[in-house]
Amino acid sequence: MTEVDPAPEGALVLIAGAGRLPELVAESLRRARRPFRVIALRGFTGPALRAGADATVDLLDLAATLKLLRRWGPAVVVPAGGVSRPSPAAILNAGAALRNREALRAIAGGGDDRLLRAAVTLVEEEGHRVVGVHEAAPDLLCPHGPLGRRAPDSEAVAAIRTGRGVLDALSPYDLGQAVVLAGDRILAVEGPEGTDRMLARARALGRRPFGFGRAMPATVLVKAPKVGQDRRIDLPAIGPRTVRNAARAGCVGLALEAGGTLVIDRTATAAEADRLGLFVVGYGGAP
């Protein structure tokens, strides 16, 4: 762990987990000319961001993270990126594991959300303000309207309306943040397996036989945060890969809650949708 001087007034501390999202948040902060520092999580943060991080800590060494935050005194703290299924590099630091046995048990027996909620609570108890990516880097969120050249037709709009109602109804049961529909028929609801595997299931159900043949008309993927969800911890996200998998599942397009869904590499995502003939649209307001 590296110790540096207190952060500039108004500075932000980015706690960077796995995936592209932390890098995109850092790029957004640079564009906004907002001062920030990065705490990299060993075994999770990508090499490019980790190389320029102000400090690197073990996921289980929560005391080290809190010590840094006390020293730096940031205006806000932003967690970004995944921390599920720790790699050996993240959990085999014997010293950290011995000092934080309760955290080790939480990771072994709990899910991603549970771990992140516990971490946010600890940071807040130390007097720090925790905000989500949607507040720190709002330019990463899906805007209203089409992202590419295509827009949904009337049949797709009706399917999107149904999908929004399904997600709202399922929110109290802590299921996933996405659903695939063919018209008013539900093909698949996202579970713990994630969007890509859900789309694989939808392909098998929506194309006959054995996942081949013509897809059902008005097949759409709808994504939105759960009602009442803590958006600092988890927001639904898509990227070019999601668009490709949606196309394989027979979708004619993707509908995302505007301002509530992250779009990873927006330009590339829109270009992939245009190439494959799908729409990607941000919606808002009443269903």
Side-chain angles (χ1 to χ4, degrees):
M1 183 184 76
T2 303
E3 294 201 9
V4 296
D5 294 333
E9 185 176 353
L12 176 152
V13 169
L14 172 63
I15 300 180
R20 277 275 290 148
L21 181 58
E23 296 176 18
L24 295 173
V25 173
E27 292 170 5
S28 174
L29 293 170
R30 292 188 192 104
R31 287 193 298 270
R33 299 183 182 277
R34 183 166 187 180
F36 69 99
R37 284 185 171 152
V38 176
I39 296 178
L41 298 179
R42 185 173 288 111
F44 294 97
T45 310
L49 190 57
R50 188 174 66 245
D54 299 276
T56 299
V57 301
D58 290 285
L59 173 65
L60 305 183
D61 201 347
L62 302 177
T65 300
L66 294 175
K67 181 179 178 181
L68 280 169
L69 294 178
R70 283 193 295 269
R71 179 177 175 82
W72 292 346
V76 293
V77 177
V78 179
V83 294
S84 60
R85 297 184 182 179
S87 69
I91 65 174
L92 291 182
N93 182 307
L98 288 171
R99 289 195 302 272
N100 298 278
R101 290 181 181 178
E102 290 302 319
L104 183 62
R105 279 197 288 268
I107 290 171
D112 196 11
D113 284 359
R114 176 179 165 184
L115 173 62
L116 289 172
R117 287 192 188 99
V120 166
T121 298
L122 283 172
V123 171
E124 289 181 324
E125 287 176 350
E126 288 283 316
H128 303 291
R129 180 172 171 243
V130 179
V131 304
V133 171
H134 62 296
E135 296 177 79
D139 57 315
L140 302 181
L141 297 172
C142 180
H144 286 271
L147 266 63
R149 293 193 298 265
R150 294 179 178 268
D153 60 19
S154 58
E155 289 185 334
V157 168
I160 293 167
R161 186 178 297 114
T162 300
R164 294 173 63 184
V166 169
L167 291 177
D168 285 349
L170 291 176
S171 285
Y173 303 100
D174 199 25
L175 291 173
Q177 302 166 313
V179 61
V180 177
L181 304 97
D184 59 0
R185 177 187 175 189
I186 299 171
L187 296 181
V189 175
E190 183 182 31
E193 83 279 23
T195 303
D196 289 337
R197 291 187 179 179
M198 178 200 64
L199 286 167
R201 286 193 285 112
R203 174 178 178 173
L205 292 169
R207 293 176 182 264
R208 304 288 184 180
F210 307 114
F212 297 98
R214 189 184 183 91
M216 296 181 183
T219 300
V220 297
L221 167 67
V222 184
K223 283 183 75 76
K226 301 167 194 168
V227 176
Q229 176 175 319
D230 187 343
R231 299 190 179 197
R232 300 171 303 170
I233 293 172
D234 184 29
L235 278 177
I238 72 154
R241 184 178 67 185
T242 316
V243 173
R244 289 191 292 273
N245 286 334
R248 294 186 187 109
C251 292
V252 296
L254 299 80
L256 320 171
E257 182 182 295
T261 309
L262 294 163
V263 180
I264 308 300
D265 295 327
R266 185 186 299 181
T267 300
T269 297
E272 191 70 351
D274 288 341
R275 184 182 73 83
L276 294 169
L278 276 65
F279 66 79
V280 179
V281 65
Y283 65 80

